[in-house]
Amino acid sequence: MTELATLRYSGKNYELPVVVGTQNEAAVDISKLRSQSGLITLDNGYGNTGSCSSSITYVDGEKGVLKYRGYLIEVLATKSTFVETAYLLIFGDLPTTSQLAEFRKLLMQHEFIHEDMRHHFDGFPPNAPPMAILSAMMNAVGCFEPVFMQADDDEYFMEPAARLMSKIRTIAAASYRKSLGKPLIYPRSKLRYVENFLHMLFSKPYEPYEADEAVVQALDKLLILHADHEQNCSTSTVRMVASSQANLYASVAAGVCALWGPLHGGANVAVIDMLSELVESGQKLDKFVERVKNRDEGVRLMGFGHRVYKNFDPRAKIIKESCHRLLDKLGIEDPLLDIAMQLEEVALKDPYFIERKLYPNVDYYSGIIMRALGIPTDMFTVIFAIGRLPGWIAHWREVHTNDSGRIDRPRQIYVGHTAREYLPIEDRG
Ligand code: SDX
């Protein structure tokens, strides 16, 4: 029996169905609101608006819970691998041995980019932002690879999904090498997903990079933690572009651009800049926190706060633990980690943060662990994109297989001029 919500407006009652999800989240279905009442809803930033129904990821912001296809992130982060988690997100179930072997084989087969694509890198200036290169090259993949639109056949979809997941590493590593004026390194098929990426980033033509197993495991876990997160800004962008029936490469390229922003995936770079500034300036932490609290200063505690989490971001906890383990294992003393923990302690005791339920999010410690892995700062958001790619692919597929096939087209409330007379230019004064 569907429960109804009643809206009373200018003397009339309108009954709207309430939709309840499998985790008991409830939503008023307003799809008939305008035709019944002439009203639309307004919700800047969509903080209260569900754009779709989805079965990929669930976040309980109040409890700090994150699940991919029903599996807790803490379980996947300790028991799974990034490739297996990517399969889970894209196809809905953990793979069998043969399915995982098939997926890995496809990742291996598609690790090269078309040789002509390599020349595209020559066209970028050395200081070109890696996220600009990544977005351009992800779109370019669609020029060299067969574009497909049949997303509803698992067997068939495995190849394009593997193709994109495999090539994003090669493109990311190539953009990094080009920025340093270093020769591009070809992938080595017998290496695991993350190992191969580190090899393409750091090997020399005559001396292959041998990744420390602790580094491989830490980066693999970091990618698992970034793999999906409901309708975040970049994933919603991918879904919006997918709704126009644009192909997977174009949709993902748009997602890369959305992720780039400092309020979203770019926050991990902003955190490192903030912590480095604090270490170099020796600024007292309580003084910095006072600046953050003073709106006129326009200073945010980067890596803190979240639209959905009003409790600890479970990913931040896992990354913080992983950070300590890796730095101990590698014998690294990073002053940024010390100051990050001190700053977290000061903030979590401060009423400003407590009242606004501002906690560390996924970006607060991720930059520190990437520094320990030897990843350069301007590649941090690229790593985030590599991690988020399976989530984008899964959502692109969900739009193409589950939704009504309708294009996303929000409405608005117009607040501009109503009627104006056209004046010839000589009379405009
Ligand atoms: C990601 O959506 C996702 O799932 C994203 C993500 C994913 O996996 O895809 O989780 C990844 O993007 C994590 C967020 C990374 N960004 C940052 O760390 C940047 C710093 N954080 C903030 O800019 C902010 O918290 C956001 C952007 C993350 C969320 O912004 P909201 O929900 O729009 O919150 P808001 O700006 O309305 O803030 C509410 C209040 C305001 O104060 P008042 O007006 O009530 O006085 O909290 C304050 C804000 O000023 N506030 C902060 C703050 N974040 C919010 N004050 C200081 N420092 C902060 N970081």
Side-chain angles (χ1 to χ4, degrees), residues 61-304:
E62 279 63 38
K63 296 192 185 120
V65 170
L66 169 58
K67 292 182 188 174
Y68 295 162
R69 300 283 190 183
Y71 294 90
L72 281 169
I73 191 67
E74 291 83 356
V75 172
L76 293 170
T78 42
K79 295 181 184 293
S80 187
T81 63
F82 176 59
V83 168
E84 183 183 72
T85 298
Y87 187 99
L88 168 68
L89 284 166
I90 296 167
F91 298 101
D93 298 305
L94 286 171
T96 60
T97 307
S98 60
Q99 286 167 333
L100 186 57
E102 172 61 19
F103 195 49
R104 285 191 192 287
K105 196 173 96 214
L106 287 166
L107 286 168
M108 197 171 68
Q109 280 170 357
H110 293 292
E111 60 198 7
F112 283 84
I113 54 176
H114 191 289
E115 202 57 16
D116 290 352
M117 277 186 79
R118 300 173 78 87
H119 304 307
H120 288 225
F121 291 99
D122 300 333
F124 293 111
N127 58 349
M131 286 297 272
I133 298 175
L134 185 64
S135 178
M137 296 302 276
M138 293 307 274
N139 223 346
V141 173
C143 305
F144 290 86
E145 306 288 340
V147 176
F148 70 98
M149 296 304 281
Q150 189 193 342
D152 51 2
D153 173 337
D154 278 10
E155 206 54 34
Y156 182 87
F157 193 72
M158 204 185 281
E159 168 138 16
R163 192 195 296 277
L164 209 43
M165 272 195 61
S166 195
K167 292 183 194 308
I168 192 171
R169 291 176 298 178
T170 313
I171 291 168
S175 71
Y176 169 61
R177 304 279 298 189
K178 281 304 280 183
S179 71
L180 299 176
K182 290 185 174 180
L184 303 193
I185 298 290
Y186 282 98
R188 282 169 56 196
S189 303
K190 62 175 183 308
L191 296 178
R192 289 166 292 170
Y193 187 88
V194 163
E195 251 183 327
N196 211 348
F197 176 55
L198 292 167
H199 152 66
M200 289 188 276
L201 275 178
F202 300 129
S203 283
K204 297 183 178 74
Y206 45 85
E207 189 190 316
Y209 169 80
E210 297 298 332
D212 182 311
E213 187 57 20
V215 168
V216 174
Q217 293 303 324
L219 184 52
D220 194 83
K221 180 178 289 190
L222 203 58
L223 296 178
I224 290 174
L225 295 171
H226 284 81
D228 195 46
H229 212 244
E230 289 190 350
Q231 302 306 318
N232 59 85
C233 180
S234 53
T235 300
S236 296
T237 301
V238 169
R239 289 185 75 109
M240 172 78 80
V241 175
S243 77
S244 73
Q245 297 290 312
N247 69 59
L248 177 60
Y249 307 112
S251 304
V252 164
V256 170
C257 294
L259 186 69
W260 191 358
L263 291 188
H264 190 12
N268 51 27
V269 178
V271 169
I272 294 300
D273 293 345
M274 173 186 76
L275 296 174
S276 305
E277 162 66 21
L278 286 169
V279 168
E280 281 142 34
S281 66
Q283 190 179 154
K284 290 264 171 280
L285 295 185
D286 46 10
K287 195 163 171 315
F288 174 71
V289 168
E290 285 315 307
R291 287 184 57 214
V292 168
K293 290 155 61 176
N294 173 2
R295 179 180 281 278
D296 300 340
E297 291 265 1
V299 174
R300 288 210 153 184
L301 178 45
M302 300 310 276
F304 258 68

Side-chain angles (χ1 to χ4, degrees), residues 355-372:
E355 285 155 15
R356 291 167 179 79
K357 298 182 179 176
L358 302 177
Y359 292 88
N361 58 48
V362 67
D363 291 298
Y364 191 62
Y365 287 103
S366 60
I368 298 170
I369 202 166
M370 284 194 258
R371 271 161 58 97

Side-chain angles (χ1 to χ4, degrees), residues 35 188 254 329 333:
S35 58
R188 282 169 56 196
K329 172 85 174 51
E333 294 281 321

